[in-house]
Amino acid sequence: MPFYVVQVAVPVPLRRCFDYLPSAGEPEDTWKPGQRVRVNFGQQLLTAVVVGTAHTTDVPTARLKPLLERLDDAPLLDASQLALGRWLARYYHHSLGEVLELMIPALLRRGGALQEALEQSWLRCPTAHDETPSLRGKQQQALWQLFQQRPVWVHAELTAQGFTLAQLRRLAQLGLIETQQRLPIPATSLRRRDDLPLNDEQQQALTQLNQPRQQFRASLLEGITGSGKTEVYLQHLKQTLQQGRQVLVLVPEIGLTPQTVQRFRERVDVPVALIHSGLNDRERLQAWCQCRDGSARILIGTRSAVFTPMPELGLIILDEEHDSSFKQQDGVRYSARDFALVRAKQANIPIVLGSATPSLESLHNALSGRYQHLKLTQRAGQAKPPGMTLHSILHQPLTFGLAQPVIAKMQQHLDADRQVLVFVNRRGYAPLMACQECGWLAECPRCDARLTLHQSPAHLHCHHCDFQQAVPRFCPNCHSDKIQALGQGTERLQDELSMLFPQVPITRVDRDTARNKHAFDALLEDIHSPGKRLLIGTQMLAKGHHFPAVTMVVVLDADAGLFSADFRGMEHTAQLILQVAGRAGRAEHPGEVWIQTLYADHPQLNLLINDGYHALALALLQERQQRQLPPYSHMAMLRAESPQRHLAEQLLQLARQFLQSLSAQHRAHSTSITPLVLVGPFPAIMERRAGRFRQQLQLLSDERTGLHAVLDPLVDFLHQQKGFHQVRWHLDVDPQDTL
């Protein structure tokens, strides 16, 4: 048998594949790209992915390690997934092994088998008759009734309804049912709702989306909040389902997933699966397998769901496409939105990006003709857009952070049995504790940040590194007892509003009250109960939720992003304000939005309020073009951090010198090469975080190819540097956070 090696992608940062020896006598055609194998790598036992075989190797035969185990007979990842993985590795400059690990569920990454997704199920026998006089007792008869309604039940579903194993075995003895290990069937709803009537704009958008072209086409559906984008999605995807194809729906937040799933299940008669971080590893594997074998026809999920195999994929819908949650912030820093576009192009299928406040990148693509641009400028049904008021609080007396006219308006809405939403994007009781005598501030010992005071339970908490400590009774500096909480978070606002409106129930929604899915569902149930109510929340309440009883929204900290050092600061501020404002007046009662600000004359804020997001976005695009910032250029950020400040800066200085030299070489060989613009190294806005000092180097180029041409050599150069074992660095392509 001729000599050969198996090439595998190992989930380590080294950007190359590794050669291993197969078992003696194993034919070469045993190995297929996409299979998983177990390998020894250094001192680690890892799960790797086969990418091919070769008859030569650069490694001396004596140093080649044997493969420990082949985990799959057939490829786990098919050719299209491997091709997408290679694109992702090239674009974000990571190893293929790290990227392929993203595409595999956690149980399979650890070496588990696909069989772990199977559950004990009970199936109605094909020969069983509906009427069986041999059944004894009401429980057995009720159990048999379930199998007449549905032929397959998971064992856990039946025991959850009070049925016992003995009762199931009795039906099996009578030849009515049988048991087997099988993949659970994705849930469907027994209740169906009819399509809602569309207004003229919705119908026009649907007609454009339903054009009979089964090929790649990107569409931006720009619709104001409450304009019925979801209804357009639902009616559009039915055409794809009728053609026997699958649909992938991506949403930004886990909180939006359950309500989106419910709406879809009530409108389509196909199995719907979901994938998000709130599921355990087995549940995620089951959904992954259901999509892979085609039993799930619709997948609804958050960012990581974009990698799920769907062999009959015919449409991708990405809701709230502007949301920063679609960008991974650690490990492989991929954008699920951008990867979804690449996946749609590879599969030659349409993709719909929806948002009330589209990102400037997507809007630029729509305005330049790369995307089909569809607009919804009016709310669906009889609802009207809320009126928006900028209320200056400069030199004005405030009660618990609220201006008197705002309090009076809130009282009017509550007296009418409506709901009022107060938005403050700071959780905790207060963002600062200070001593009145000496000016001491409660600061995090590991970050350049102040500690936030929490009351339930009472403690000081750093939201950046998770450092926590008890609340001091005396100032650690001067021992005075005159220390007080300054500023306002959601906890404090809840206490203060309960004094202003003692008879009004209050629901607070932030990461402290909505720690898990069940807690969040309970909060939503409170919100949807009838009667007047005050809602207090962070941006968790701003995204996509439908609260028909909310008729007034109050925005307390609108100024936070007006003067951000991040060039995307105004864009993100405008998106957040309008997303929060969009919760008001979504049903038959009109809504209004009051925005408290110290800068009521701010020109861009006034442009947003008076002329809308689209007008502001055009102005911001003009600014970006003048400054040659994305989307008119392409950016990457090289970040480094170290316990010693000078080490991180020193590594980035070496990187800058290398890039300058490399750029000069490129220009010497080609006059068409666009100059690379380097900014930094400079400290991050929060220089010290979790005990490490952070530095960054910004790379800008007018051409995407020109930028990526220097990033591969840069990554190789950084891997070769010695003496920087204390420095952690990473490359962020198309960064969303430049601070």
Side-chain angles (χ1 to χ4, degrees):
M1 180 177 293
F3 170 82
Y4 73 95
V5 292
V6 180
Q7 299 172 321
V8 302
V10 183
V12 296
L14 301 175
R15 295 185 310 136
R16 49 164 295 198
C17 293
F18 295 88
D19 296 340
Y20 282 82
L21 286 173
S23 300
E26 202 154 25
E28 187 175 355
D29 60 7
T30 303
W31 304 97
K32 299 176 179 63
Q35 293 170 317
R36 290 173 305 141
V37 291
R38 294 291 275 175
V39 299
N40 269 322
F41 189 86
Q43 303 300 314
Q44 304 176 81
L45 183 63
L46 299 176
T47 301
V49 177
V50 174
V51 295
T53 58
H55 294 102
T56 60
T57 177
D58 296 333
V59 182
T61 306
R63 293 182 56 193
L64 287 171
K65 292 183 178 180
L67 288 171
L68 301 180
E69 182 183 7
R70 185 176 71 250
L71 299 175
D72 306 305
D73 291 329
L76 187 73
L77 302 175
D78 63 22
S80 65
Q81 290 172 282
L82 292 173
L84 287 170
R86 290 189 177 93
W87 178 89
L88 199 70
R90 286 195 305 271
Y91 190 82
Y92 292 102
H93 303 273
H94 277 265
S95 74
L96 181 59
E98 290 177 300
V99 166
L100 295 182
E101 188 178 43
L102 291 174
M103 307 176 88
I104 298 174
L107 277 176
L108 301 184
R109 290 179 213 157
R110 297 195 291 266
L114 286 171
Q115 285 71 23
E116 293 187 50
L118 305 181
E119 290 185 349
Q120 183 183 9
S121 298
W122 296 88
L123 294 74
R124 174 177 166 164
C125 295
T127 57
H129 300 291
D130 289 347
E131 297 181 4
T132 53
S134 303
L135 291 177
R136 298 190 299 268
K138 293 182 178 179
Q139 279 292 88
Q140 288 186 15
Q141 293 173 10
L143 179 58
W144 178 235
Q145 284 294 323
L146 289 181
F147 283 96
Q148 290 175 298
Q149 296 171 17
R150 200 173 91 190
V152 181
W153 287 87
V154 174
H155 181 82
E157 292 178 320
L158 297 172
T159 55
Q161 298 183 53
F163 297 105
T164 65
L165 180 59
Q167 292 162 351
L168 287 161
R169 285 175 174 168
R170 173 59 182 163
L171 266 64
Q173 289 170 359
L174 294 172
L176 301 177
I177 61 174
E178 59 185 2
T179 184
Q180 65 175 224
Q181 294 290 114
R182 61 181 293 163
L183 189 66
I185 300 172
T188 56
S189 175
L190 298 176
R191 183 176 61 176
R192 290 285 171 269
R193 292 188 177 181
D194 295 332
D195 290 345
L196 298 177
L198 302 180
N199 60 33
D200 291 343
E201 286 186 334
Q202 289 174 300
Q203 186 59 58
Q204 185 176 358
L206 180 62
T207 301
Q208 291 288 99
L209 292 173
N210 283 343
Q211 288 177 357
R213 292 191 299 166
Q214 292 305 311
Q215 60 187 36
F216 172 70
R217 180 183 68 241
S219 302
L220 175 63
L221 182 60
E222 181 183 0
I224 64 170
T225 54
S227 59
K229 294 185 292 295
T230 303
E231 185 63 31
V232 174
Y233 301 152
L234 283 163
Q235 297 195 27
H236 175 47
L237 65 83
K238 287 185 177 181
Q239 183 185 71
T240 303
L241 296 174
Q242 289 166 1
Q243 295 164 352
R245 309 291 293 277
Q246 294 172 292
V247 178
L248 171 61
V249 181
L250 297 174
V251 294
E253 291 280 356
I254 180 177
L256 295 179
T257 310
Q259 68 174 22
T260 305
V261 169
Q262 180 182 355
R263 292 185 69 178
F264 275 64
R265 283 178 175 162
E266 289 175 350
R267 296 288 296 279
V268 296
D269 57 356
V270 298
V272 179
L274 65 155
I275 289 180
H276 57 74
S277 59
L279 303 177
N280 62 41
D281 288 346
R282 189 159 183 255
E283 290 170 331
R284 290 168 68 91
L285 175 60
Q286 288 174 338
W288 190 87
C289 291
Q290 289 163 352
C291 294
R292 184 173 183 257
D293 72 4
S295 59
R297 307 310 295 171
I298 297 177
L299 171 63
I300 300 173
T302 50
R303 180 176 60 232
S304 62
V306 73
F307 300 117
T308 307
M310 302 181 76
E312 298 172 297
L313 184 62
L315 172 67
I316 299 176
I317 296 171
L318 196 138
D319 195 26
E320 308 290 357
E321 67 82 27
H322 67 278
D323 199 285
S324 59
S325 299
F326 285 121
K327 177 76 161 137
Q328 176 76 14
Q329 296 300 333
D330 55 26
V332 182
R333 288 165 167 78
Y334 68 92
S335 164
R337 180 195 64 197
D338 296 347
F339 183 74
L341 285 158
V342 172
R343 184 172 182 182
K345 188 169 185 179
Q346 184 218 54
N348 202 27
I349 61 172
I351 178 171
V352 181
L353 310 177
S355 177
T357 54
S359 65
L360 295 194
E361 286 81 2
S362 293
L363 187 59
H364 174 65
N365 282 328
L367 296 174
S368 60
R370 294 189 185 95
Y371 297 171
Q372 179 179 221
H373 196 187
L374 308 171
K375 291 185 180 181
L376 303 177
T377 61
Q378 54 187 290
R379 285 195 160 182
Q382 303 302 312
K384 303 296 182 186
M388 301 186 70
T389 302
L390 277 181
H391 184 75
S392 175
I393 56 173
L394 192 64
H395 309 305
Q396 297 297 312
L398 301 178
T399 303
F400 301 140
L402 293 164
Q404 289 302 318
V406 175
I407 294 173
K409 272 289 181 184
M410 292 171 65
Q411 187 68 63
Q412 289 179 20
H413 285 262
L414 294 170
D415 288 344
D417 261 0
R418 309 283 183 247
Q419 292 183 351
V420 176
L421 190 159
V422 183
F423 173 79
V424 54
N425 208 23
R426 289 191 299 269
R427 63 189 174 106
Y429 186 81
L432 181 63
M433 279 202 76
C435 175
Q436 291 179 297
E437 293 289 335
C438 70
W440 167 85
L441 299 175
E443 296 183 325
C444 177
R446 307 176 67 224
C447 302
D448 293 335
R450 276 76 182 262
L451 295 172
T452 298
L453 173 64
H454 287 255
Q455 291 284 64
S456 301
H459 69 288
L460 293 171
H461 196 153
C462 176
H463 292 162
H464 302 283
C465 72
D466 206 33
F467 171 82
Q468 301 179 41
Q469 71 176 48
V471 180
R473 294 180 57 192
F474 302 96
C475 172
N477 189 45
C478 70
H479 308 294
S480 166
D481 62 355
K482 295 181 179 178
I483 55 176
Q484 64 176 357
L486 302 177
Q488 194 175 39
T490 50
E491 279 186 29
R492 186 171 196 169
L493 186 60
Q494 182 177 15
D495 289 349
E496 293 169 343
L497 288 181
S498 66
M499 291 186 280
L500 269 179
F501 306 99
Q503 305 302 318
V504 179
I506 298 177
T507 300
R508 173 166 62 93
V509 181
D510 55 30
R511 296 207 179 277
D512 297 317
T513 60
R515 292 187 177 276
N516 55 54
K517 176 184 179 297
H518 300 295
F520 190 72
D521 288 346
L523 292 171
L524 290 180
E525 188 175 338
D526 287 343
I527 293 171
H528 289 293
S529 60
K532 60 187 175 184
R533 182 175 295 272
L534 277 167
L535 313 181
I536 300 170
T538 60
Q539 59 183 333
M540 288 184 72
L541 276 182
K543 300 176 181 180
H545 296 290
H546 179 66
F547 302 137
V550 171
T551 53
M552 182 179 183
V553 168
V554 181
V555 181
L556 292 188
D557 59 350
D559 298 339
L562 295 182
F563 304 101
S564 172
D566 185 354
F567 72 89
R568 289 192 174 92
M570 189 64 213
E571 176 189 358
H572 292 163
T573 297
Q575 289 167 343
L576 186 56
I577 288 175
L578 289 190
Q579 291 290 332
V580 176
R583 302 314 107 204
R586 294 173 70 95
E588 66 271 15
H589 302 292
E592 59 181 318
V593 180
W594 285 64
I595 302 170
Q596 293 192 170
T597 176
L598 291 168
Y599 307 98
D601 58 348
H602 191 286
Q604 291 180 327
L605 192 55
N606 276 275
L607 181 61
L608 174 69
I609 301 304
N610 297 326
D611 297 326
Y613 179 80
H614 193 80
L616 174 64
L618 293 178
L620 293 176
L621 280 172
Q622 189 173 10
E623 278 187 13
R624 299 267 188 98
Q625 187 173 24
Q626 292 169 351
R627 298 168 59 190
Q628 281 302 290
L629 289 170
Y632 298 96
S633 65
H634 305 281
M635 179 184 289
M637 292 285 287
L638 179 63
R639 296 185 173 97
E641 56 181 54
S642 169
Q644 301 182 55
R645 178 188 283 112
H646 73 280
L647 284 178
E649 183 180 0
Q650 186 178 342
L651 180 65
L652 293 193
Q653 287 289 4
L654 290 174
R656 181 186 176 99
Q657 293 168 12
F658 173 79
L659 288 168
Q660 288 173 327
S661 173
L662 187 64
S663 186
Q665 293 175 26
H666 285 177
R667 289 196 302 272
H669 289 88
S670 174
T671 57
S672 62
I673 292 293
T674 304
L676 184 69
V677 178
L678 301 174
V679 182
F682 56 89
I685 293 296
M686 184 188 296
E687 183 179 6
R688 186 168 59 108
R689 182 172 180 175
R692 304 179 73 88
F693 293 91
R694 304 187 301 157
Q695 294 274 331
Q696 48 199 36
L697 176 65
Q698 190 178 92
L699 294 74
L700 284 160
S701 175
D702 291 346
E703 295 179 357
R704 194 186 302 273
T705 53
L707 176 64
H708 285 268
V710 302
L711 294 183
D712 264 339
L714 172 64
V715 171
D716 292 337
F717 170 80
L718 291 171
H719 277 303
Q720 295 166 8
Q721 299 311 297
K722 307 296 183 183
F724 292 97
H725 60 278
Q726 289 186 312
V727 181
R728 295 198 298 244
W729 60 267
H730 68 264
L731 182 66
D732 190 355
V733 178
D734 302 331
Q736 291 299 302
D737 174 15
T738 59
L739 299 182

